Amino acid sequence: MSKRTIKVQANGYNGKIDFDIAVNGNHIDDINVTKSSETPAIFKQTFSKLKNEIIAKQSFAVDAVSGASVMTQAVLDAGKKALKKNNITPDAKNDAGIHRDVVLNVDVAVIGSGIAGLMAAARALSMGKSVLVLEKNGYLGGATILNGSNVVATASKVAEKLFGKESEKDSSALLVSDITRESGASNYAQLSELLANNIGKAVDFIAEFAGLTYQKAETQTVEHTVKRQIELPAGSYELITKVARAFEEKGGKILLNARVEKLNKNSDGKLISLVAEGKGQTTKVKFKSLVLSAGGWGAKMYQEHKSNILYYGPMTSTGDYFDFAKNMNLVTRNLDWYKVYPHGLEVKPGIAKLTTYSTKKATDMGAIFVNKSGKRIVNESAPYTHFRDAIAAQKDKVAFVVMDQKIWKQFYALLLKYNFNKEEIQSFFALDGKKSPILVKGDLQTVAQKAGIDYKTLKETMDNYNEDVEAGYDPEFGRPAKFMHAYEGNTYYVIEQKLRFCTTLGGYVTNNRMQLLDKSIKPVANFFAAGEVIGGANGRDPMPSMMNSWAYASGFVAGTEAADNCNFYPVEQQEEVDALSGASEE
């Protein structure tokens, strides 16, 4: 038999994927990626699973990975075509048509594997309960995997270690005060207090549970009165993978490709089991407590054209629970609330990636924001909501960051750290400003022309700003002098910035035990929730790091309460009745 390597290229979700297929005669020995523009945190998980299945079955005729179907199907199609072209015919192992019905019994079941779900699962497991996490996608992490790992560490041992004496300035009461101020008092006080009183406990718990070593967040944002933001060195991928690994090593179970479709009640109307569908398997899970942590429904809003703002979240954030939990009669509120951020780069029509960390660094170094008329539009060092509102006030809803070479170097480094890659960024520059995303480089006149900015006004704006820097005073917007720095050299970079959204801010309603309430405002037995599916803790305008913080704190409380609920669960279980809360008509 002859060994050889077949080079293949697929058209993935974000661009080209180059991979090698190592064969020995007609046998597929290995598959290795040499280049990819896909989101690393998702790609690392999904490609590994896909590769193992292809090699095990000796065929590219396998199912795409749920939640990453465009990318994985592209790899499968390209692989099939390459084998056919090279007359390679592996001895495929076909198990099509096999379907299993599985019944599992656990103390606590958790729907969703973002950090809210994993936190709840880890907490319940640490309290001696048997725990199962169900994830509809073929990878872990939900929306968390696309975000940074930033959280606040208020009242934690981690904060004491990282911030020292400065941590003593912080308190739960101060955090609630900041939340209330920045949200314009649109927050729900009970949930804000629950967040503030439990975030420190949650941070310390998960750090010990999963062996996490936090560091001060690279960006300490001005919305927070004190320095309290922390992060993990490798971001959200490190968070999700380490917590999931620790959870499984300590006896927890995770079931991927498990899409929940039904919730079952007993004759007393109490929730006691669920049914999940997946690849070749129907799983019935009997439990004493259920935690719903299945994220938001931003993708549903995007797909139904309920917002003209760029979407930057996972396309799997579709709010499936509005169907499978329909007959649980749960009360909701503020379903039209969603979080709008600036710092969006339109990587494809209607879809954005965030540049939050890069843009914040650029403004700290003195970069300015301008519109197409070439005029500054905001105090660049003010809270991000000011920049958001300034973009929204522009006729075309577009602004630009103007940088010199020194600032661009730092901006670029953070793009690479947070979900961009070199090839992707080069492809944006190759567009030469002809369409979004606009990233252009050159002298001031060149970048203005390519970006569609009025050069004469931009030149005047830059000259005036450099004079203001020298004077140490910004008469136009009152930007603090410490953030005003003169531009250096004659090479400029101009980067487009648009509005973006992902996070939904409304949802179901719970009590202070994170127990879901029905429309009579009564707790639903055995049913708890955490994370984005519960809205209100941060109001309509969450501060940076606060949605992750809500996931931590609410997950910690939900896991605690779900575990405690098991201790009072009756030994005798009545038979289920035909009261399924799935998509059947009422």
Side-chain angles (χ1 to χ4, degrees):
M1 293 197 293
S2 60
K3 292 185 178 182
R4 56 174 168 153
T5 299
I6 301 170
K7 296 193 173 296
V8 189
Q9 186 174 80
N11 293 313
Y13 185 77
N14 290 334
K16 304 293 184 183
I17 302 171
D18 293 341
F19 62 98
D20 295 341
I21 305 174
V23 298
N24 188 354
N26 284 321
H27 189 273
I28 302 172
D29 283 352
D30 203 0
I31 306 167
N32 291 298
V33 174
T34 56
K35 179 181 175 182
S36 168
S37 298
E38 302 302 314
T39 303
I42 295 176
F43 189 74
K44 288 176 184 177
Q45 295 186 70
T46 55
F47 189 81
S48 175
K49 296 178 188 303
L50 194 67
K51 168 182 170 177
N52 292 340
E53 189 169 6
I54 291 168
I55 293 173
K57 295 185 177 179
Q58 286 296 293
S59 173
F60 279 84
V62 300
D63 291 334
V65 177
S66 301
S69 56
V70 173
M71 178 266 289
T72 51
Q73 190 61 55
V75 169
L76 293 172
D77 291 343
K80 287 180 200 172
K81 186 176 179 180
L83 292 186
K84 183 176 180 180
K85 181 179 178 180
N86 287 272
N87 297 315
I88 305 295
T89 55
D91 183 14
K93 300 175 176 64
N94 188 2
D95 59 2
I98 298 175
H99 187 90
R100 297 197 309 158
D101 290 302
V102 177
V103 178
L104 301 174
N105 285 278
V106 297
D107 292 324
V108 179
V110 178
I111 303 174
S113 69
I115 191 54
L118 289 178
M119 177 70 79
R123 177 59 175 163
L125 184 71
S126 74
M127 294 173 68
K129 307 306 176 186
S130 58
V131 185
L132 171 70
V133 174
L134 298 104
E135 169 57 56
K136 70 176 182 178
N137 293 321
Y139 59 89
L140 295 167
T144 307
I145 207 73
L146 297 177
N147 300 329
S149 60
N150 297 49
V151 293
V152 300
T154 301
S156 69
K157 294 177 182 177
V158 170
E160 290 177 13
K161 180 179 179 181
L162 292 177
F163 296 104
K165 285 282 186 182
E166 195 167 8
S167 69
E168 296 175 8
K169 299 176 183 177
D170 198 9
S171 68
S172 297
L174 182 59
L175 180 56
V176 171
S177 176
D178 286 354
I179 292 170
T180 304
R181 182 190 66 250
E182 292 299 322
S183 70
S186 60
N187 58 308
Y188 290 83
Q190 176 180 278
L191 294 181
S192 301
E193 290 168 4
L194 183 147
L195 189 167
N197 291 334
N198 287 280
I199 184 59
K201 299 173 188 176
V203 167
D204 287 339
F205 165 74
I206 207 66
E208 181 177 354
F209 181 89
L212 303 176
T213 303
Y214 287 94
Q215 62 187 24
K216 293 180 184 178
E218 193 162 3
T219 300
Q220 299 290 326
T221 60
V222 297
E223 291 86 351
H224 293 269
T225 301
V226 296
K227 292 181 179 180
R228 56 165 73 109
Q229 291 159 282
I230 62 173
E231 64 186 4
L232 292 170
S236 55
Y237 180 70
E238 178 184 2
L239 172 66
I240 293 299
T241 53
K242 284 189 174 180
V243 173
R245 185 184 307 122
F247 174 72
E248 291 187 302
E249 288 175 351
K250 296 174 190 289
K253 303 295 181 184
I254 296 174
L255 186 61
L256 298 177
N257 301 304
R259 185 183 67 257
V260 176
E261 295 197 348
K262 296 177 181 178
L263 301 183
N264 301 326
K265 304 174 185 177
N266 65 10
S267 58
D268 290 334
K270 292 184 178 179
L271 184 62
I272 59 172
S273 69
L274 62 79
V275 176
E277 296 291 347
K279 295 178 180 178
Q281 181 169 308
T282 297
T283 306
K284 181 176 183 179
V285 183
K286 297 180 179 181
F287 50 75
K288 298 175 182 176
S289 298
L290 176 64
V291 179
L292 177 64
S293 53
W297 59 94
K300 182 180 177 69
M301 294 181 68
Y302 164 73
Q303 291 160 358
E304 295 177 355
H305 306 289
K306 291 185 177 179
S307 174
N308 58 3
I309 296 172
L310 302 179
Y311 180 65
Y312 76 99
M315 298 309 293
T316 55
S317 292
T318 50
D320 300 349
Y321 36 80
F322 290 130
D323 287 329
F324 70 69
K326 181 170 60 175
N327 291 346
M328 296 302 295
N329 201 35
L330 301 175
V331 64
T332 62
R333 64 185 171 201
N334 306 323
L335 296 185
D336 59 341
W337 284 15
Y338 57 94
K339 179 63 180 172
V340 179
Y341 297 86
H343 316 135
L345 196 63
E346 188 172 12
V347 295
K348 59 178 61 179
I351 300 296
K353 280 191 173 184
L354 62 86
T355 66
T356 304
Y357 305 99
S358 298
T359 303
K360 177 63 169 61
K361 185 67 174 180
T363 57
D364 286 349
M365 296 177 70
I368 63 172
F369 300 148
V370 301
N371 58 18
K372 284 197 173 181
S373 297
K375 297 180 180 180
R376 283 178 69 203
I377 60 174
V378 73
N379 170 3
E380 294 83 358
S381 301
Y384 79 90
T385 52
H386 294 222
F387 184 31
R388 177 198 65 193
D389 295 344
I391 294 178
Q394 305 307 308
K395 185 176 181 180
D396 53 5
K397 304 292 189 292
V398 178
F400 301 91
V401 186
V402 182
M403 295 175 276
D404 60 17
Q405 184 72 49
K406 181 179 179 180
I407 299 174
W408 164 252
K409 184 177 179 181
Q410 296 298 315
F411 189 97
Y412 178 65
L414 288 171
L415 286 180
L416 296 180
K417 182 176 180 179
Y418 295 103
N419 286 331
F420 288 86
N421 59 57
K422 293 179 181 179
E423 293 78 12
E424 186 179 19
I425 296 168
Q426 289 170 358
S427 73
F428 298 156
F429 277 110
L431 296 173
D432 213 25
K434 292 181 175 64
K435 65 176 184 177
S436 291
I438 294 174
L439 284 79
V440 293
K441 171 189 175 184
D443 59 36
L444 193 63
Q445 185 170 3
T446 298
V447 294
Q449 181 181 1
K450 289 182 176 181
I453 301 171
D454 183 275
Y455 168 64
K456 183 179 178 181
T457 306
L458 179 61
K459 176 72 165 59
E460 183 179 328
T461 296
M462 297 295 290
D463 290 344
N464 289 341
Y465 179 72
N466 282 326
E467 289 176 7
D468 294 340
V469 170
E470 190 173 347
Y473 173 65
D474 177 14
E476 190 171 11
F477 293 105
R479 189 180 193 181
K482 67 179 180 179
F483 295 119
M484 297 172 64
H485 305 288
Y487 281 76
E488 300 176 3
N490 297 313
T491 299
Y492 295 88
Y493 293 79
V494 168
I495 311 300
E496 156 190 288
Q497 299 277 270
K498 295 184 177 181
L499 301 178
R500 60 186 171 89
F501 89 97
C502 166
T503 309
T504 45
L505 299 174
Y508 291 127
V509 181
T510 67
N511 58 18
N512 60 5
R513 297 179 56 227
M514 296 311 297
Q515 190 169 13
L516 285 157
L517 304 181
D518 64 19
K519 291 178 181 176
S520 299
I521 317 302
K522 295 179 180 178
V524 178
N526 310 328
F527 206 2
F528 303 84
E532 191 179 347
V533 70
I534 305 301
N538 291 295
R540 294 199 72 163
D541 252 335
M543 296 187 293
S545 304
M546 292 312 298
M547 292 310 295
N548 277 348
S549 299
W550 171 241
Y552 270 55
S554 61
F556 181 81
V557 174
T560 302
E561 296 294 343
D564 281 344
N565 181 67
C566 296
N567 299 331
F568 301 99
Y569 194 84
V571 176
E572 300 84 6
Q573 291 190 15
Q574 297 181 5
E575 291 297 317
E576 293 172 13
V577 296
D578 188 17
L580 305 181
S581 60
S584 56
E585 294 296 322
E586 294 182 352

